[in-house]
Amino acid sequence: MAGEHILLSTEIVNRGIEASGPDAGSPTFSVRVRRRLPDFLQSVNLKYVKLGYHYLISHGIYLATIPVLVVVFSAEVGSLSREELWKKVWGETSYDLATVLAFFGVVVFTVSVYFMSRPRPIYLIDFACYRPSDDLKVSGEEFMELARKSGKFEEESLAFQFRILKSSGIGDETYVPKSIFSPGNCATMKEGRAEASMVMFGALDELFEKCGVRPKEVGILVVNCSLFNPTPSLSAMIVNHYKMRGNILSYNLGGMGCSAGIIALDLARDMLQANPNSYAVVVSTEAVSFAWYTGRNRSMLIPNCFFRMGCSAVLLSNRRRDFRRAKYRLEHIVRTHRGADDRSFRCVYQEEDERRIKGLSLSRDLMEVGGHALKTNITTLGPLVLPFSEQLLFFAALLFRCRSSNSAASSKPYIPDYKLAFEHFCMHAASKVVLDELQRNLELGDRHMEASRAVLHRFGNTSSSSIWYELAYLEAKSRVRRGDRVWQLAFGSGFKCNSAVWRAMRQVRRPSRNPWLDCIDRYPVGL
């Protein structure tokens, strides 16, 4: 393929001293070739910019028309003196009761339609991130030793996982369930339910305590877990455990990957728009025991090195009286789905290997596919969040490139500065390589990526809940101020890339309960 070499990067790896064979005692090296994210900011599709402006215009129609009416009315009134205006209103015009009633009726109707059609504000009251007990904590060395003692892996598979783990960016304090290192099958319904119950109920107990909300007050419940989907569902397990009310609107999302947390938020937002004066709880987690693979297929061994235990629980409200105690207000959600493309659809794929061992296979095209999904998503998001000056320069440069197709290949487009749109960035902590490429392509500083790298180091890849551990990190550092904008970005199987934008309603002080409290002063640690 033309330009394929641009997406490849090479790295020389020292494999140590050869132990046996004709080259025994000699140092050996290998060349590792990796795919990286395409430079997606260099090629922007105009249709996604149009989609972003469509969102902006459809939501800003009132802001566009009201100023025009005010200007027209002011121009008409401004041409008259005070005496002429008084004479025109009261002296030359006669009013009857029907006219007055009709006028007030039109005013009341217009105001009512405006307030009824305006989307309800969605507030985030608080959230909780589960922190497992210390007996589930493993270092990198302990992880490899337990994997070796389990007897499930060949030596080549263990060596491969060790190399991946060394360059993963994951620290020595992540959490895994004990069942994955047991001699038997860890992906049983009993083990799955036990793991899900531990993390979900732990996060929800903390959430209800922090918010002072009783479970029976919750009217909407959305749970997402990609790989473990029992019957009854995880949402039913929560309803049963907390004895929630019988008319609760509960939903269970499965198989939607690491970006499912924002999809669950989107569903909760739509339900809150249709159900006034309601609370909604969104629970995001993943069952590590069901992502565990014990075969020898390298593309399926990679998830073993990254996925770790975690769960988040978020309380949302559309009640206007919660304005004062809410932490954040939801501004935008933009979702991108590239499942129509076969390569995108199969780049993260659960299947059996040649020995019929189930696992999650990661394609070599993953970085390229993710880059294209990210390009589409941020191009659509741009018109909604970028300052007008950035939009104007970006849009003008884009139109110029479209009109001057001959010179477009040689001219560099104007790259919008997303640091002007957001104060805080919560990028899904998938791996060190992914975070490096995101930082390079979005031209972000180390401080912008600090929360994502800290989460990867301290908790690993917790799937759809990782963006909430990152927000918890920012709160533990006391960095969130009133009016700050937070960008949560997640991507996952399908292939999907989703963004959520929040605005802080107040200065967020360091919470009394937070998964980072005992270790926050150690970060950043040269991640």
Side-chain angles (χ1 to χ4, degrees):
M1 294 174 59
E4 181 74 11
H5 65 283
I6 299 176
L7 300 178
L8 302 178
S9 62
T10 58
E11 177 185 0
I12 299 177
V13 181
N14 186 351
R15 302 179 66 89
I17 304 298
E18 187 72 25
S20 59
D23 298 324
S26 302
T28 58
F29 300 87
S30 64
V31 179
R32 179 181 300 163
V33 180
R34 289 178 173 172
R35 282 183 176 269
R36 63 184 183 185
L37 288 177
D39 199 358
F40 48 83
L41 290 176
Q42 301 295 325
S43 58
V44 178
N45 198 323
L46 183 59
K47 68 178 181 179
Y48 300 120
V49 179
K50 291 179 179 177
L51 182 60
Y53 278 102
H54 169 72
Y55 289 161
L56 180 65
I57 292 171
S58 62
H59 288 86
I61 187 66
Y62 297 110
L63 296 177
T65 55
I66 291 176
V68 173
L69 294 176
V70 171
V71 169
V72 171
F73 180 77
S74 300
E76 179 67 23
V77 173
S79 63
L80 302 174
S81 65
R82 183 182 301 178
E83 292 77 10
E84 290 174 336
L85 179 61
W86 182 266
K87 183 178 179 181
K88 197 173 186 66
V89 173
W90 297 107
E92 299 178 1
T93 308
S94 60
Y95 301 99
D96 55 19
L97 181 60
T99 302
V100 173
L101 291 177
F103 172 77
F104 281 107
V106 170
V107 171
V108 171
F109 176 78
T110 303
V111 173
S112 300
V113 169
Y114 168 73
F115 281 104
M116 291 176 65
S117 61
R118 189 177 61 172
R120 302 174 188 275
I122 305 300
Y123 300 114
L124 190 157
I125 306 301
D126 212 334
F127 66 96
C129 296
Y130 177 68
R131 176 171 166 171
S133 58
D134 286 344
D135 63 319
L136 300 177
K137 185 185 296 184
V138 294
S139 65
E141 293 182 359
E142 290 171 337
F143 179 89
M144 294 307 306
E145 184 63 25
L146 290 170
R148 179 174 283 104
K149 288 181 178 180
S150 69
K152 297 178 180 179
F153 298 99
E154 300 175 356
E155 282 301 320
E156 289 185 3
S157 298
L158 289 169
F160 175 75
Q161 291 181 87
F162 179 68
R163 291 198 301 271
I164 294 293
L165 203 59
K166 283 178 62 178
S167 60
S168 64
I170 295 178
D172 291 329
E173 294 184 297
T174 60
Y175 304 91
V176 295
K178 293 181 178 180
S179 60
I180 64 175
F181 298 119
S182 61
N185 177 25
C186 64
T188 64
M189 298 304 292
K190 180 180 179 180
E191 294 292 349
R193 284 193 174 96
E195 181 184 346
S197 299
M198 179 197 309
V199 297
M200 291 193 309
F201 299 159
L204 286 168
D205 287 345
E206 180 181 336
L207 179 71
F208 291 137
E209 181 181 341
K210 289 168 70 173
C211 298
V213 172
R214 294 180 294 110
K216 285 187 178 294
E217 297 180 66
V218 177
I220 300 164
L221 173 64
V222 185
V223 180
N224 69 271
C225 181
S226 188
L227 296 177
F228 179 57
N229 295 283
T231 301
S233 65
L234 297 179
S235 59
M237 289 170 56
I238 293 174
V239 172
N240 174 263
H241 179 79
Y242 291 100
K243 309 304 177 188
M244 291 177 159
R245 63 198 202 194
N247 63 343
I248 188 172
L249 303 174
S250 65
Y251 301 88
N252 201 94
L253 305 181
M256 305 198 79
C258 299
S259 67
I262 296 180
I263 298 173
L265 274 178
D266 194 24
L267 176 57
R269 178 187 65 171
D270 291 344
M271 298 308 300
L272 285 171
Q273 294 294 345
N275 296 272
N277 298 316
S278 297
Y279 284 127
V281 168
V282 177
V283 179
S284 300
T285 188
E286 189 55 84
V288 176
S289 56
F290 274 69
W292 191 249
Y293 172 70
T294 57
R296 56 191 179 191
N297 188 323
R298 292 191 171 187
S299 67
M300 302 169 82
L301 284 168
I302 295 176
N304 289 359
C305 304
F306 289 98
F307 284 117
R308 298 293 186 266
M309 293 178 69
C311 180
S312 65
V314 181
L315 180 66
L316 304 174
S317 172
N318 60 7
R319 306 190 308 175
R320 298 191 185 277
R321 60 179 175 272
D322 287 326
F323 171 84
R324 294 188 178 278
R325 69 168 182 148
K327 282 186 173 182
Y328 306 93
R329 183 180 69 236
L330 182 60
E331 298 281 309
H332 307 287
I333 290 180
V334 174
R335 293 170 53 183
T336 301
H337 200 313
R338 294 183 58 86
D341 176 66
D342 290 339
R343 283 202 314 159
S344 300
F345 177 73
R346 294 191 63 89
C347 69
V348 181
Y349 203 79
Q350 189 179 24
E351 58 185 349
E352 292 87 11
D353 64 9
E354 66 278 0
R355 295 192 295 176
R356 303 190 65 81
I357 301 176
K358 186 185 296 184
L360 198 63
S361 175
L362 304 183
S363 166
R364 293 179 180 271
D365 298 326
L366 179 59
M367 295 293 287
E368 182 182 353
V369 165
H372 290 305
L374 182 59
K375 176 187 68 176
T376 302
N377 189 265
I378 66 173
T379 305
T380 307
L381 179 67
L384 301 176
V385 298
L386 288 170
F388 182 73
S389 58
E390 288 292 304
Q391 294 187 47
L392 188 62
L393 291 171
F394 172 62
F395 196 59
L398 187 62
L399 289 178
F400 177 77
R401 284 170 60 84
C402 291
R403 290 179 179 275
S404 307
S405 57
N406 294 332
S407 61
S410 59
S411 62
K412 184 177 180 180
Y414 179 76
I415 307 303
D417 188 358
Y418 282 87
K419 297 186 292 294
L420 299 176
F422 308 106
E423 284 73 33
H424 308 289
F425 296 79
C426 297
M427 307 292 185
H428 169 50
S431 69
K432 183 179 183 297
V433 173
V434 171
L435 294 180
D436 288 344
E437 291 297 317
L438 282 172
Q439 181 173 1
R440 181 181 66 85
N441 277 277
L442 293 176
E443 300 177 355
L444 301 177
D446 291 339
R447 187 175 176 87
H448 299 119
M449 299 298 295
E450 182 182 319
S452 300
R453 295 188 187 279
V455 167
L456 182 64
H457 184 270
R458 176 63 181 84
F459 293 97
N461 182 346
T462 61
S463 189
S464 56
S465 63
S466 68
I467 55 177
W468 296 105
Y469 284 85
E470 292 162 17
L471 187 55
Y473 176 88
L474 295 171
E475 290 190 355
K477 286 285 189 180
S478 301
R479 291 182 182 172
V480 182
R481 303 287 189 267
R482 179 189 177 98
D484 283 0
R485 295 154 297 180
V486 181
W487 181 16
Q488 292 181 320
L489 176 70
F491 35 88
S493 61
F495 194 85
K496 298 178 287 291
C497 180
N498 303 318
S499 292
V501 179
W502 301 89
R503 183 177 292 275
M505 305 296 294
R506 54 183 169 87
Q507 180 175 348
V508 180
R509 297 182 176 86
R510 179 180 291 193
S512 58
R513 299 191 63 176
N514 185 292
W516 293 93
L517 289 184
D518 70 333
C519 60
I520 190 63
D521 294 331
R522 303 203 309 262
Y523 288 88
V525 288
L527 303 178

